Amino acid sequence: MKREPVATVMKAVIIGASGEAFHTIEKAHEMGLSVTALDGNPKAEGLQAADRGLVVDISDEKAVIEAVQKEGADFVLTVPIGRYLTTIGAVNDALGLPGISRQMAVLCTDKYRFHQKLQEQDLRRSHCFAVGGADGFDPDMLAGKFAEDRTLLMYPAILKPRFGSGSRGIQMLENAEQLTAQMRILKGTQEEYVLEECMAGEEYGVDGAVIGGLFHMVLLRKKENTPPPARQAVGYVSVLPEEPFWQQAWEYMRKVVDCLGLGECLLHADLIRSAQGPFVIEMSARPSGHNLHNLFTPLCTGIDMAEEYIKYRMGQAWNFTPAVTRQAMIHYFDLQGEVMDVPTQDQVRKSEPSLIGWECHIRAGEELLPVSDGHSLMGRGYFILEGEEGELRDKVRRVKALFRLA
């Protein structure tokens, strides 16, 4: 009797297995992939969700390459990750896997190299300097240098860690005196920073994909930020494709992708809508976190970026063109004070019928401190409202007013 051949299961690897890897692992499983997840933290949530969870220091490129090689992976799937996106690039280079190279990853995670590369093609018109590092900080020398020569740096300025992603450690400086004070705080640290001019304008986020070198913009979203100096994103409003800035952002991002040499990846970026046009703050060759790529983007566009990218990698039909265009806002709980009472989802929906998403981890008796970074905010949860941009902010205020705070 003739035996039928056994179907080969494709294998995917995920490097960096925080809770934000859940969505991609789930989609990979739905499509019949076997998933191995690697993380240096043995308690990382994604290790339990994968078929195999390996505890490996993802900053150790050699160890990760050896582990992935043993798994016989067909490709690496990217999830929200910071500085060690470079490890993914190193794995792809060493094992001949598709996706970003290490060189591409470096350009996405090193903010100074990123600036230099884009400045070469006039895509980032500003002054930016690398400071600190192994030589440490000399506060008086640096502050004096930037105070005396106004052609070097215009205030307000931004000081932020050179490597990684997210809002960690960002400081807005209004003058040379504030720069001196911050340099003195950092004196003795070995971490490298970049010091750059703060570009004026509204801030936006981009979710997209690059397939065969062509950029596909899935969603453009306008940010709601806390006031300076923290300027932490506490919400996003989806921008409809018929709005003029959508087209401007798409055309600009195509040039940025070409300049960086990105070939095949998911990506997200932060943009400023300046008087001179779009200006990219940062960009990374991986999907956005904070319940954006896995929740908000699919709700607004009908496109699940992780799912479509997996289809592409498996040789199936894929699509990154939005199927629907829905205006909505995702907002995080930027509340402050002692929590006396928390509304239920039903109570919120009764007050605001446009509620289409709700996850609240706030409990009565908690003391909510001022929002300083993403980590202090995201654990609280989110809510999503549908409607026109002009009315969404009023709806957000009404939802937050349902919380009783002391």
Side-chain angles (χ1 to χ4, degrees):
M1 183 176 178
K2 186 177 180 180
R3 179 177 294 177
E4 292 295 324
V6 178
T8 302
V9 176
M10 297 187 75
K11 295 182 179 180
V13 163
I14 286 175
I15 298 169
S18 72
E20 294 204 283
F22 279 152
H23 181 72
T24 298
I25 294 172
E26 181 181 67
K27 288 298 172 182
H29 282 158
E30 287 176 6
M31 300 179 71
L33 290 174
S34 172
V35 180
T36 297
L38 290 77
D39 201 288
N41 177 8
K43 297 181 180 179
E45 301 97 321
L47 295 181
Q48 302 301 318
D51 298 280
R52 276 173 54 77
L54 304 178
V55 180
V56 181
D57 180 359
I58 63 172
S59 70
D60 186 338
E61 294 181 359
K62 182 179 179 182
V64 175
I65 289 169
E66 290 176 353
V68 175
Q69 187 173 33
K70 289 178 182 177
E71 292 300 301
D74 293 288
F75 48 80
V76 178
L77 293 174
T78 52
V79 296
I81 188 174
R83 179 171 185 171
Y84 297 113
L85 182 71
T86 51
T87 299
I88 296 174
V91 168
N92 290 337
D93 288 348
L95 304 182
L97 298 178
I100 61 166
S101 66
R102 191 181 191 285
Q103 182 180 3
M104 294 174 192
V106 166
L107 290 175
C108 290
T109 56
D110 183 335
K111 299 179 182 70
Y112 185 59
R113 293 274 298 276
F114 176 77
H115 167 80
Q116 288 180 309
K117 186 70 174 177
L118 293 178
Q119 192 179 50
E120 289 172 4
Q121 295 192 23
D122 204 29
L123 292 171
R124 211 168 187 269
R125 301 177 185 176
S126 67
H127 294 110
C128 178
F129 303 90
V131 296
D135 297 330
F137 289 89
D138 185 333
D140 298 316
M141 183 277 288
L142 286 169
K145 172 183 176 182
F146 292 117
E148 292 168 5
D149 189 347
R150 293 291 176 155
T151 64
L152 287 180
L153 185 73
M154 295 293 291
Y155 292 95
I158 298 290
L159 183 70
K160 58 186 177 182
R162 176 172 173 173
F163 297 97
S165 61
S167 56
R168 178 183 65 88
I170 295 177
Q171 296 291 328
M172 179 179 282
L173 310 168
E174 296 292 341
N175 49 50
E177 289 72 27
Q178 289 186 9
L179 173 61
T180 302
Q182 191 59 36
M183 292 292 188
R184 285 178 176 151
I185 292 172
L186 294 172
K187 190 174 184 178
T189 182
Q190 298 297 301
E191 186 168 10
E192 296 178 70
Y193 281 72
V194 291
L195 177 66
E196 64 181 11
E197 292 164 346
C198 179
M199 185 64 64
E202 291 182 303
E203 201 168 331
Y204 289 75
V206 171
D207 291 313
V210 184
I211 304 295
L214 297 177
F215 172 65
H216 302 260
M217 190 157 80
V218 178
L219 181 66
L220 179 68
R221 39 190 166 76
K222 185 185 294 187
K223 286 190 180 186
E224 294 282 313
N225 287 332
T226 59
R231 290 190 60 78
Q232 170 62 43
V234 295
Y236 295 89
V237 179
S238 59
V239 178
L240 299 178
E242 54 264 31
E243 294 191 27
F245 187 63
W246 199 99
Q247 183 72 22
Q248 293 175 29
W250 174 67
E251 291 175 351
Y252 174 77
M253 285 300 300
R254 285 174 57 197
K255 295 175 183 177
V256 170
V257 165
D258 288 345
C259 178
L260 297 178
L262 298 179
E264 296 181 349
C265 64
L266 297 179
L267 66 79
H268 83 101
D270 294 323
L271 298 179
I272 292 289
R273 184 177 185 174
S274 74
Q276 294 76 39
F279 174 90
V280 63
I281 304 170
E282 296 179 17
M283 191 177 86
S284 192
R286 49 86 162 175
S288 54
H290 299 173
N291 286 302
L292 294 169
H293 87 280
N294 60 308
L295 178 63
F296 188 64
T297 299
L299 274 176
C300 294
T301 66
I303 299 296
D304 187 308
M305 294 170 57
E307 182 177 346
E308 296 305 318
Y309 192 71
I310 292 170
K311 287 178 182 177
Y312 170 66
R313 285 283 170 235
M314 295 180 72
Q316 299 178 9
W318 52 271
N319 175 40
F320 286 102
T321 302
V324 295
T325 51
R326 190 182 207 180
Q327 188 141 59
M329 169 180 266
I330 183 170
H331 209 283
Y332 312 105
F333 294 106
D334 58 327
L335 303 168
Q336 182 178 342
E338 184 181 355
V339 181
M340 307 301 291
D341 189 48
V342 179
T344 66
Q345 182 174 353
D346 288 341
Q347 288 171 330
V348 175
R349 182 167 283 115
K350 184 176 180 180
S351 174
E352 291 298 334
S354 63
L355 183 76
I356 57 175
W358 175 266
E359 185 175 300
C360 181
H361 303 298
I362 297 172
R363 298 291 178 264
E366 280 188 71
E367 180 72 27
L368 299 178
L369 300 176
V371 173
S372 58
D373 55 31
H375 181 73
S376 66
L377 180 66
M378 294 305 156
R380 300 178 183 181
Y382 62 84
F383 57 97
I384 302 175
L385 301 165
E386 187 173 17
E388 295 182 2
E389 182 179 348
E391 63 185 10
L392 281 169
R393 290 171 181 81
D394 289 333
K395 291 183 177 184
V396 166
R397 282 191 286 270
R398 289 196 291 267
V399 169
K400 292 197 290 187
L402 296 174
F403 289 79
R404 191 159 60 89
L405 304 171

